[in-house]
Every structure is written in structure tokens, then in C-alpha cells.
Amino acid sequence: MRIVVLTGGIGGARFLLGVRAHARAIGAEVTAVVNVGDDVRMHGLQICPDLDSVMYTLGGAADPERGWGRVGETWVVRDELAKYGVEPSWFGLGDKDTATHLVRTTMLNAGYPLSAVTAALCERWQPGITMLPATDDRLETHVVADVEGERKAIHFQEWWVRYRGDVPTHRFVFVGAESAKPAAGVLDAVAGADIVLVAPSNPVVSIAPVLAVPQLKEAVTSGPAPIVGVSPIIGGAPVRGMADRCLATLEVEVSAAGVGRMYGPRAEGGLLDGWLVDESDAGAQVPGVTTRAVPLWMTDEQATARMVAAALELGGVK
Ligand code: GDP
Ligand code: CA
């Protein structure tokens, strides 16, 4: 069996630990199609937060407390940059992490596409799944917000890390998405999939930018594989992160049903065939989509693998 997962960073990476565990148990292959909307160039380095969260988590090297970056990280480079007074000072680049960005940027500058660079980085980390960026082209999430008395579009990282999403926010724009093509390997993976899972990632700034690549969305939604999503919202709140702020901007109800309805039923131009919600949200109704309630707390790999088994069952594959 072949499983394709659309995913963001930290939440998606935890989900993928469970997908990998379940896939090993049943002898399935896994391909993650990862959001690149958070990607940003800083201090001359190309940084891919979601790809790195997935890679480090599956490679066993993520910092479990912070949730992002490397365990045992040191911050000499960041402190030295601060002493030069260079901006952006609000973005902390770890030393170990910096090595990843140096390798990536060097390869990109030499002309390799991001998908090839990711494959090269994964030779070290051996994530046990195939990791693909959604696109090899430039696609950046920008946020139109009122910042210091002025309405402007800022990079998602600035909105998220610098302002904690705590500024009047009007909309999200996926710069470059319209002309972006799916990365090498993405269309083949989707065409060969037995099921497509939508990770319990932030629907607005992790999953939406993946699906903003026109041919990628078309391939997923017109393909034969069932599409099953997993809710990132439990009991009316995101488990962590700022999905509530993002959803509020779109005037979407912060609930499992609200996100399910936002994705919408595939039969009506939406995304989903099935929608997995937490047991506490068992009453959630999404017209046109089959919902099922199971425990959705990703407390450990086994609990997450059970979620994945339920998602496959909901999709009618086992
Ligand atoms: P990011 O790119 O690093 O922000 O990570 P993602 O977008 O992949 O995931 C963030 C989402 O994961 C948040 O909206 C959380 O609500 C969700 N999440 C985190 N932990 C859990 C969990 O244990 N269960 C569920 N269902 N969702 C979770
Ligand atoms: Ca992200």
C-alpha cells in the first residue's frame, strides 16, 4: 500500500511518526508532501521550517520541548549576529540548524531543485519515508496585517515568530502559488497513492499553501485515492500553535466541524471523503463527508499509529 500525507511542520511531523509506525507494521510506503509556504531566506540562507521539522523529527533529532529545531542546539551564531546588530534579530538560528541551511543553500545556488536537496539532506537523517516539498518553485505565505500603524504584507515567519500572530490580521496570500508546479515526484506519488491523508496540521497556513499549487490540488482531488483528513482542532481549540488565530481571520469556526466544512466535501469541489475527529467532538457534522470519532491526542507513536489505522479504515483501505 502507498500512503501520501499532506503536511505542515510540527503537528504533521508528529503525525508522520505514527504513519511511519503503522506503515512499517503493514508493509506500506509513505510519501509526505510538505508545506513550503513558511520558507524564508535570512542571512543569505534558505530556511525550510516545515521540511526541517519533519526531517529532524523522523530522524530522531528534533528538540522535543521546543518542538522545532535540533535537540542539544547551541546558539553561538545567533549571539554573534546580534553583536553585529544585524536584523532580523527576532529569528533564532541554531548552530546545528545553520549547517543544514548552509548545505541546502549551497545546493540550491548550484542549481539543484529543492526536492533534490531534500533527498540529499535525508540521506543523513534516514526519515524512513519519502519527503517531497509541495513545489520546487518559490511559494511563500505572506500575511496582510496592521503592523505599527500600517497595513502591509509581511512574511508569515515575521507574523508568526515576531508578532506571535497578535496583530490585526486580514488575510493570507500564497505568493507564487498560481504559477508554482508540483515538485518532482509529487504527481507520481499522488497518482500511485492508495490513500491521501491530510495531517492534523494548521489548515490555513500549512495545508492551504500545499493545495494552492493548482496541479497538486487537481491531482489530489481528481485522483482515485480516497482523501481522509485528521482534525487539528480538539474540543474547540488547537492542541498547540495558533490555528485559532488563523481560522478567526478567515471567519471559520474554531472546531473540528468548522475545519471539516472549510475543507469541504470532495463531491462539491472540496477536499474530503472522510474526516477524523476526536471522541470529544463525536457530534461534529460535515455535510457530504463521512466523519468518525477516535482519540486524536498524539501522546506517543502508538496512539498516533492507532489514529492512522482509523484513518485508513475510514478511507476504506487497510
Ligand atoms: P507547524 O507547521 O509547525 O505549525 O505544524 P503543523 O501545521 O503541521 O501542525 C500544527 C497543528 O498541529 C496545530 O493546529 C495543532 O492543533 C495540531 N496538533 C498538535 N498536536 C496535536 C495532537 O496531539 N492532536 C491533534 N489532533 N492535533 C495536534
Ligand atoms: Ca509551518
Side-chain angles (χ1 to χ4, degrees), residues 9 35 38 50 206:
N35 174 42
D38 298 11
D50 287 2
S206 289

Side-chain angles (χ1 to χ4, degrees), residues 8-10 35 38 49-50 53 156-157 160 202 205-206:
I10 299 170
N35 174 42
D38 298 11
D50 287 2
S53 289
F156 170 75
Q157 290 295 341
W160 185 263
N202 186 313
V205 294
S206 289

Side-chain angles (χ1 to χ4, degrees), residues 15 61 105 107 129 147 162 178 190 202 223-224 261-262 264 274 300 303:
F15 182 67
T105 308
M107 286 188 73
I129 66 166
V147 179
R162 183 177 189 181
E178 274 308 303
V190 172
N202 186 313
R261 287 194 292 262
M262 185 190 82
D300 56 42

Side-chain angles (χ1 to χ4, degrees), residues 24-190:
R24 280 180 179 154
I26 63 171
E29 275 173 39
V30 182
T31 301
V33 178
V34 184
N35 174 42
V36 297
D38 298 11
D39 294 11
V40 66
R41 201 164 271 248
M42 287 189 188
H43 307 296
L45 301 177
Q46 187 67 15
I47 298 163
C48 301
D50 287 2
L51 281 166
D52 287 349
S53 289
V54 172
M55 185 171 77
Y56 294 152
T57 299
L58 294 182
D63 185 303
E65 258 119 71
R66 231 181 15 252
W68 56 273
R70 296 279 302 279
V71 68
E73 188 58 284
T74 55
W75 303 92
V76 176
V77 171
R78 178 195 63 188
D79 295 347
E80 287 296 312
L81 287 168
K83 286 175 186 155
Y84 283 109
V86 295
E87 294 294 336
S89 53
W90 46 266
F91 196 85
L93 269 185
D95 300 332
K96 293 182 180 187
D97 208 16
T98 295
T100 304
H101 308 319
L102 282 166
V103 175
R104 174 187 294 125
T105 308
T106 303
M107 286 188 73
L108 289 170
N109 288 347
Y112 290 95
L114 182 59
S115 50
V117 175
T118 302
L121 293 170
C122 284
E123 279 178 31
R124 172 178 176 194
W125 294 107
Q126 295 292 319
I129 66 166
T130 302
M131 282 178 54
L132 299 173
T135 180
D136 283 324
D137 300 325
R138 178 169 177 252
L139 189 169
E140 279 181 12
T141 301
H142 288 203
V143 187
V144 179
D146 298 334
V147 179
E148 284 145 31
E150 203 188 331
R151 181 168 302 191
K152 51 183 178 179
I154 55 177
H155 191 284
F156 170 75
Q157 290 295 341
E158 188 170 4
W159 181 80
W160 185 263
V161 180
R162 183 177 189 181
Y163 296 108
R164 311 307 301 165
D166 198 12
V167 287
T169 302
H170 305 288
R171 60 200 170 88
F172 299 90
V173 184
F174 307 124
V175 177
E178 274 308 303
S179 54
K181 300 276 180 287
V186 170
L187 293 181
D188 284 346
V190 172

